[in-house]
Amino acid sequence: MNTQLNAIIDLSKAGEKCKLLMGDINGDGLMEILAVQGDGGFDDRHVPHEVTCLTAYNTAGELLWQLGKPSETPGTFGADYPAQVYDINGDGKCEILCVMDGKFHIVDGDGAILNSYDLPDEHAHDCILIANLTGHSFARDIVLKDRYKKMWAFTHDFKPLWTHEGNVGHYPWAADVNGDGYDEIMAGYDLLNHKGEVLCNCGQVKEHADCIWIGHAGGKVQIIIGGEYTAMYDAGGKELWRYLDTVETQHICIGKFVEGKEEFQLAGLDRIVRGGPTGGKDGMFLLDYNGKELWKEERKIPGWLTIVDTVRKFDESGMDYIVAYRRGGGILPALYNGNIEPVYTFDKEGYCYYADLTGCGTTDVLITAENKAFIYSAVKKDLATPMGIKPLAQQDKRMYNATLYMGGEY
């Protein structure tokens, strides 16, 4: 099916190669769009990025404010940029948390810096994770990390809580897996409690964790990790199953993609051949809740940089979709069902982002291309009129813990 293009936003004043974050930063009942540009000129496999420029737009395409100056040599999409949009102080409007100019900043919704703090280490800015480590009624604590080895936890006002060293992976995930009222942190293959102590380890794996999901099915918690292979663990770290028919599981996502199935399924992306003279190769796959393979894609067209993720509530079917983009070979982004059939297709090639921008209950998909953001929905929408409460309720955890290394909770 075709999608409805509801808006085009000119991002040219934000600079090249921006990533997008969304949240209601001014309390008007609509999500604003934050274009985040990172620094470049180095190997981001080993050195983390900082933010060089933040540019805020409303859904009508108006530039609201800009903090910093767009760089002519920005970073690329090889790693996260240290920025999140979240209501860290509980006032009903989202702030922007970011690392710029060697400091951690909390920025108000009008672009003014509220607070700035020194970093604990020159490399402590690979990404930002929001968690509940101190037992508040909402998550308001902050976790920073370097690329692969160390993490630092702080209160909302940047008082140190703890430090952890280990194989922490690309992006940890925070969730209350044992019901104690605090978030635990899945850091690579180590599950940490809110004090930073290791509760259990999900196997001695040499490679880092590429992506982490937390599932809730059958009254229990499941931990799913993709990397050297794909595996599901219980909340105590016991392995429930392992899927080995991949070369490198680069992305995983969970959702109800197959009609008639009570438990969630797990979609993933196998990076089979990294680049090279043939153009590289990857392929999507789908597993059931018990780790049984339901299908595996056999690509005929070269391409090895696909990103897959879960998109929920795009329409009123009640089903989740697998979004796949950056496919290469002329394959445009699409939303797939559990039979690997593209249900919705998009007419622009670029990075995909998704949020309910107006509070109407269905999800919009934003694709960045040609220095613009193209906003699509299943039906025609007025994106300039709020449909819900003001301010718009705090976005879900996947939005304020946004990452290139798609993690999540279902």
Side-chain angles (χ1 to χ4, degrees), residues 251 268-275 278-285 295-308 324-333 336 340 349:
H251 301 285
L269 190 283
D270 182 16
R271 185 167 288 174
I272 301 166
V273 180
R274 282 178 167 262
T278 64
K281 182 181 180 180
D282 62 25
M284 296 188 291
F285 61 88
W295 52 255
K296 191 170 186 180
E297 181 184 32
E298 290 293 337
R299 283 190 66 164
K300 306 300 181 184
I301 300 173
W304 65 283
L305 295 172
T306 301
I307 293 176
V308 299
Y325 58 98
R326 211 175 64 162
R327 303 232 64 194
I331 303 175
L332 291 170
Y336 295 82
I340 202 171
E349 172 58 54

Side-chain angles (χ1 to χ4, degrees), residues 62-361:
E62 299 169 328
L63 194 158
L64 302 177
W65 52 261
Q66 187 170 75
L67 181 64
K69 182 179 179 181
S71 171
E72 295 182 358
T73 57
T76 60
F77 291 83
D80 280 329
Y81 294 164
Q84 302 288 3
V85 174
Y86 181 64
D87 182 8
I88 194 73
N89 59 16
D91 68 350
K93 297 184 290 186
C94 288
E95 290 75 44
I96 298 94
L97 286 64
C98 68
V99 175
M100 298 179 71
D101 302 319
K103 290 184 178 293
F104 182 91
H105 301 290
I106 299 177
V107 181
D108 201 355
D110 60 5
I113 295 176
L114 296 175
N115 301 101
S116 297
Y117 303 98
D118 292 330
L119 295 172
D121 182 273
E122 63 176 338
H123 293 300
H125 52 87
D126 180 56
C127 60
I128 299 170
L129 175 73
I130 311 299
N132 186 356
L133 304 176
T134 50
H136 287 281
S137 59
F138 62 97
R140 62 185 311 193
D141 304 306
I142 299 160
V143 178
L144 303 177
K145 64 179 282 289
D146 63 13
R147 282 299 277 147
Y148 294 110
K149 296 180 180 179
K150 198 168 183 179
M151 292 169 42
W152 296 263
F154 301 88
T155 62
H156 67 283
D157 51 359
F158 228 66
K159 295 176 182 177
L161 291 173
W162 47 261
T163 302
H164 170 74
E165 293 189 47
N167 183 4
V168 298
H170 278 306
Y171 193 86
W173 196 257
D176 184 3
V177 302
N178 58 14
D180 64 352
Y182 299 88
D183 278 342
E184 285 69 49
I185 305 289
M186 197 66 212
Y189 291 87
D190 290 329
L191 181 65
L192 313 180
N193 66 13
H194 65 282
K195 299 178 181 179
E197 302 163 336
V198 178
L199 295 176
C200 63
N201 177 273
C202 296
Q204 298 298 321
V205 181
K206 294 182 180 179
E207 300 297 327
H208 58 258
D210 280 312
C211 41
I212 299 169
W213 277 74
I214 303 296
H216 301 270
K220 298 180 180 179
V221 172
Q222 299 80 35
I223 302 167
I224 306 104
I225 303 176
E228 188 174 327
Y229 48 81
T230 305
M232 179 187 283
Y233 307 88
D234 67 15
K238 177 183 177 182
E239 185 175 302
L240 302 177
W241 53 258
R242 181 184 298 192
Y243 177 68
L244 295 172
D245 193 19
T246 53
V247 176
E248 178 190 1
T249 303
Q250 188 66 21
H251 301 285
I252 56 174
C253 58
I254 61 178
K256 293 186 178 180
F257 310 117
V258 179
E259 291 190 51
K261 300 291 185 181
E262 183 175 348
E263 288 113 350
F264 59 75
Q265 297 85 49
L266 186 148
L269 190 283
D270 182 16
R271 185 167 288 174
I272 301 166
V273 180
R274 282 178 167 262
T278 64
K281 182 181 180 180
D282 62 25
M284 296 188 291
F285 61 88
L286 186 70
L287 312 177
D288 70 9
Y289 174 77
N290 296 306
K292 178 184 176 182
E293 183 183 293
L294 299 177
W295 52 255
K296 191 170 186 180
E297 181 184 32
E298 290 293 337
R299 283 190 66 164
K300 306 300 181 184
I301 300 173
W304 65 283
L305 295 172
T306 301
I307 293 176
V308 299
D309 198 7
T310 303
V311 171
R312 306 189 68 186
K313 299 180 180 179
F314 186 73
D315 56 22
E316 297 183 358
S317 68
M319 299 302 299
D320 301 323
Y321 294 108
I322 305 160
V323 61
Y325 58 98
R326 211 175 64 162
R327 303 232 64 194
I331 303 175
L332 291 170
L335 300 181
Y336 295 82
N337 63 18
N339 297 316
I340 202 171
E341 298 166 336
V343 179
Y344 292 97
T345 56
F346 303 94
D347 58 5
K348 293 294 180 181
E349 172 58 54
Y351 277 77
C352 295
Y353 307 87
Y354 12 94
D356 178 1
L357 295 174
T358 64
C360 71

Side-chain angles (χ1 to χ4, degrees), residues 24 26-30 92-93 358 384-393:
D24 187 357
N26 58 15
D28 65 352
L30 296 168
K93 297 184 290 186
T358 64
T385 302
M387 301 297 292
I389 61 172
K390 296 182 181 182
L392 196 61

